[in-house]
Amino acid sequence: MRLGFADADNDPAATALAPATFTSQMVALFWLSGALGGGVGGNALKVSGDRVPGAGYFLALGAAALATGAALLLWRRALTRRLGV
């Protein structure tokens, strides 16, 4: 329960990347993205019906993870500059 009720100052990425006036919105966006991912994953399984997800489902998940990693790799300089690393 501690993570759910933690204040915005406990998230170092949100406080480093967001302007001071938008820190709480950045933390809210973090929790919203987790909820969105769970909802999309649940609906993807619901659409597949009674079938067990095949290789295409896991291939799509892997492709999404690789695309996210590539985006982070492209923006790593800007992110490290903002984070002060």
Side-chain angles (χ1 to χ4, degrees), residues 23-85:
T23 302
S24 60
Q25 286 92 341
M26 192 73 163
V27 173
L29 187 63
F30 168 77
W31 289 109
L32 181 66
S33 64
L36 179 67
V40 168
N43 282 329
L45 287 176
K46 185 171 72 171
V47 167
S48 70
D50 293 334
R51 298 172 301 180
V52 175
Y57 175 77
F58 293 105
L59 184 63
L61 287 179
L66 286 174
T68 303
L72 287 173
L73 188 64
L74 288 173
W75 290 308
R76 73 179 181 271
R77 284 196 177 152
L79 287 173
T80 54
R81 214 173 318 125
R82 292 288 301 261
L83 288 171
V85 177

Side-chain angles (χ1 to χ4, degrees), residues 11-22:
D11 189 7
T15 57
L17 292 176
T21 56
F22 296 112

